[in-house]
Amino acid sequence: MKKKIGISAAVLAVCALIFVGYLTFLAPKAQGGQKSVKIEVVIPSKNIDRTFQYKTDRSYVSELLDDKKSDLQAEMEDSQYGKFISGMLGVKADPAKEYFHLKVDGTDATVGVSQLPLENGKIYTFTLTSL
Amino acid sequence: MKQGTPAIRDIALIGVWAALTFGVKLVLAPVIGVELVSLLLAVFTVVAGFGRGIAAALVFTSITVLESAYYGAGDWIVLYYINWPLLTVLTRVFLKKGSGELRAAVLLGLFGLLFDLPSGGIKLVLFGPVYALTYLISGIPFDLAHGASNFITALFLFRPLADRLDRLKSGIWKI
């Protein structure tokens, strides 16, 4: 049993080291200071296409969405992979049929809103998209 | 109780194991990167045989795909149909009934660590190399958690589960 615990601890230590390497060299970095960004919400079925411009000191998109809840009415749900958007501007996505697709300057985001850093001048577009 | 014919017993056994695996998956779903599906399918393959193992993997995957009615369909369905049967093939190749827990832990740990690799291949075909690479890089923390948890659970649970299942196999299942 002691041997198994020792091996497990060694494996966890190696994984922790790799994780530190990931955070240091590969993970998206948040930008400090004030940033000017745009949030665009597109809901084709309701003919909604609105753009909001904000200046913010926040680091991640989810934080800005929380701050601007009165404008954007963003509803976020926690999942094992972080937060995902379940509603915007009072429109809730039907999880069986649609989801809010997130793009940054027209390119698909590769991480969720809680990991996506806010960068000066970027446009973050949420489009209600059919599955 | 009168035993059924071998074929009927197999069908029942595979269904029960797939359902058990699915139930355990649901229970552990809130815990990031931790699952016992790999362990349960590997143990079943080792003890009940490759044919029953791959059948259980396919039934389990099909039950899981029904979840898409709630979570939405996606390329993860293809990933599941590749990965879980593949695990039973890897188990058949690398593990035997008497294999030690360290061997099982290494196999299942590597399987967890590289779980998303086929998904990267799918995304490479669908969306191109940049998306596939960024997808794989952003998944590294989850893959590390998955690999480590698979390694540890197999290290502690593979032998006890395989031994008990083997006793059930000869005592009750009569297969």
Side-chain angles (χ1 to χ4, degrees):
Chain A
M1 181 57 85
K2 274 185 183 171
K3 192 178 165 193
K4 285 184 188 175
I5 292 171
I7 293 170
S8 301
V11 166
L12 285 175
V14 170
C15 288
L17 272 177
I18 298 172
F19 183 62
V20 169
Y22 166 81
L23 288 179
T24 310
F25 300 110
L26 294 173
K29 305 280 185 307
Q31 213 176 58
Q34 196 175 64
K35 298 161 277 281
S36 175
V37 298
K38 285 181 183 170
I39 301 285
E40 185 182 17
V41 182
V42 182
I43 304 173
S45 58
K46 306 269 183 201
N47 287 324
I48 295 173
D49 186 347
R50 295 185 61 190
T51 303
F52 303 80
Q53 180 141 18
Y54 297 114
K55 288 191 188 304
T56 179
D57 288 329
R58 294 295 198 174
S59 299
Y60 293 96
V61 173
S62 61
E63 296 172 340
L64 179 65
L65 297 182
D66 269 335
D67 283 354
K68 304 298 177 188
K69 209 166 177 66
S70 56
D71 289 351
L72 301 168
Q73 299 168 63
E75 291 176 50
M76 288 181 272
E77 289 180 22
D78 289 315
S79 77
Q80 59 175 319
Y81 301 111
K83 291 183 176 185
F84 72 92
I85 303 293
S86 58
M88 296 284 282
L89 299 179
V91 178
K92 207 160 165 59
D94 178 348
K97 289 191 241 163
E98 54 200 8
Y99 69 104
F100 278 95
H101 189 95
L102 174 55
K103 289 188 174 189
V104 183
D105 280 351
T107 304
D108 290 341
T110 54
V111 291
V113 285
S114 45
Q115 288 176 288
L116 188 62
L118 287 164
E119 292 178 71
N120 191 41
K122 297 270 185 189
I123 303 173
Y124 300 86
T125 306
F126 295 86
T127 307
L128 188 61
T129 306
S130 298
L131 288 169
Chain B
M1 196 192 325
K2 197 180 169 188
Q3 300 287 336
T5 64
I8 292 171
R9 277 205 298 268
D10 279 356
I11 290 168
L13 194 57
I14 289 162
V16 166
W17 199 263
L20 171 78
T21 306
F22 181 70
V24 172
K25 173 190 172 292
L26 287 185
V27 169
L28 286 174
V31 189
I32 296 170
V34 178
E35 50 91 357
L36 290 176
V37 174
S38 308
L39 178 68
L40 290 174
L41 289 179
V43 165
F44 190 67
T45 303
V46 162
V47 176
F50 174 64
R52 294 184 187 98
I54 199 165
L58 287 168
V59 173
F60 161 76
T61 304
S62 301
I63 299 171
T64 305
V65 166
L66 294 178
E67 278 186 296
S68 63
Y70 180 75
Y71 292 115
D75 52 9
W76 63 269
I77 291 178
V78 181
L79 175 73
Y80 270 33
Y81 272 112
I82 293 171
N83 277 12
W84 296 122
L86 175 66
L87 173 65
T88 62
V89 174
L90 294 172
T91 302
R92 171 74 181 83
V93 173
F94 293 107
L95 294 182
K96 302 282 173 287
K97 211 182 281 184
S99 293
E101 54 262 26
L102 191 58
R103 193 180 175 89
V106 169
L107 175 69
L108 296 186
L110 286 174
F111 177 76
L113 192 65
L114 303 175
F115 190 86
D116 259 339
L117 213 54
S119 192
I122 295 166
K123 291 190 191 314
L124 178 70
V125 172
L126 292 177
F127 308 114
V130 174
Y131 187 91
L133 191 64
T134 46
Y135 169 83
L136 287 174
I137 289 172
S138 66
I140 286 173
F142 302 105
D143 294 330
L144 283 172
H146 193 183
S149 72
N150 264 17
F151 183 92
I152 293 168
T153 51
L155 191 64
F156 284 90
L157 297 176
F158 177 76
R159 278 272 39 106
L161 274 178
D163 292 342
R164 277 162 184 73
L165 206 58
D166 197 39
R167 283 206 289 276
L168 279 177
K169 180 191 165 191
S170 47
I172 298 173
W173 300 346
K174 301 191 189 311
I175 57 175

